[in-house]
Amino acid sequence: MARILIVEDEEKIARFVTLELEHEGYQVEHAADGRTAVDLALERNYDLILLDVLLPQLNGMEVLRRVRKHKDVPVIMVTARDAVMDKVAGLDAGADDYLTKPFGIAELLARVRALLRRRQINAAEPQATLLFGDYVIDCVNRVVTRQGAVLHLSQIEYRLLAFLAANPGRVLTHRHLLAQVWGGQAVENPQYLRVYVGHLRQKIEDNPAQPRHILTEIGVGYRFQI
């Protein structure tokens, strides 16, 4: 049974979400302010935190920064703001995903399931292979095949695809992807990323104009769908 911490100062929202999560079989605890959230998150072990941005005492961004210094628990940021920079700031601060109020409960539950599934995968022994669609990524030999046929990728294309596939369902910002694939010196050059995502889509998507695997989060980054 996964344990989830809801950090939300609006009691009605917190109660509604708690009931829905409990109905799905999760064990839920609630914090109504930022300081309580930090204390609970550091004292106890949670499988996921649902974290509102606008909170009394400490805002959600500060809660996230303090928790991230000590723990790698998955975090979904929830915000009433729809500004792209708020989403980017949360993801760059260490959030795994985000939701904008008002959100549908079905979408919330889907995001929760995706993050918990990824956490289980990451907790297992390191995978020698990654699978998506009918592709196989051989992480030992750094080879990608589709139904036995080798896909010809450059070194950069392989690194980008492998990193995306290792984080299914997670929103990865432009800055994060650039730092992981090209190194810190490239974080101010998002054009690199757009070019190579385009190359990858041409090679792995049946319809690059309507990608199934590498999905764009407008103004934020990309999400990989298995």
Side-chain angles (χ1 to χ4, degrees), residues 10-221:
E10 295 185 45
E11 188 61 36
K12 289 183 179 180
I13 294 176
R15 182 59 180 161
F16 172 71
V17 174
T18 295
L19 289 173
E20 292 291 340
L21 290 172
E22 289 179 340
H23 180 72
E24 295 296 313
Y26 300 116
Q27 182 179 344
V28 182
E29 296 182 24
H30 172 228
D33 63 78
R35 291 192 184 280
T36 301
V38 172
D39 290 342
L40 287 174
L42 298 184
E43 291 172 1
R44 304 177 187 179
N45 292 321
Y46 295 100
D47 297 290
L48 185 142
I49 297 176
L50 190 63
L51 178 61
D52 193 26
V53 171
L54 298 177
L55 295 167
Q57 299 190 32
L58 291 176
N59 67 37
M61 294 295 185
E62 183 60 27
V63 172
L64 179 60
R65 292 187 187 97
R66 296 189 185 194
V67 171
R68 275 286 173 265
K69 289 180 180 180
H70 304 280
K71 293 194 174 182
D72 195 31
V73 56
V75 174
I76 300 176
M77 297 291 290
V78 180
T79 176
R81 302 172 182 172
D82 197 26
V84 169
M85 290 311 298
D86 288 329
K87 298 173 183 178
V88 172
L91 293 165
D92 279 342
D96 297 273
D97 205 346
Y98 62 84
L99 279 171
T100 303
K101 293 179 181 178
F103 53 82
I105 195 64
E107 181 182 10
L108 169 62
L109 293 174
R111 300 286 180 90
V112 167
R113 287 192 297 268
L115 277 180
L116 291 175
R117 188 163 55 244
R118 182 166 63 84
R119 181 176 176 84
Q120 290 176 339
I121 291 172
N122 291 344
E125 292 185 6
Q127 291 178 283
T129 59
L130 298 169
L131 308 176
F132 68 97
D134 50 4
Y135 290 92
V136 178
I137 302 177
D138 180 342
C139 300
V140 176
N141 296 304
R142 299 171 68 85
V143 173
V144 181
T145 57
R146 184 179 193 183
Q147 297 178 341
V150 174
L151 190 67
H152 296 289
L153 300 176
S154 69
Q155 184 179 11
I156 290 291
E157 289 169 346
Y158 171 83
R159 290 211 305 266
L160 177 58
L161 179 60
F163 187 72
L164 286 165
N167 293 277
R170 181 182 179 185
V171 179
L172 299 169
T173 65
H174 299 124
R175 179 179 291 270
H176 189 182
L177 284 165
L178 286 163
Q180 290 293 327
V181 177
W182 281 270
Q185 74 279 3
V187 296
E188 303 303 330
N189 293 283
Q191 183 61 26
Y192 291 162
L193 189 54
R194 286 192 289 269
V195 168
Y196 278 92
V197 165
H199 291 171
L200 274 181
R201 282 174 169 162
Q202 290 294 329
K203 293 183 178 183
I204 71 168
E205 301 283 6
D206 293 329
N207 182 358
Q210 295 181 317
R212 171 188 171 192
H213 299 295
I214 305 176
L215 307 181
T216 299
E217 294 282 336
I218 297 175
V220 178

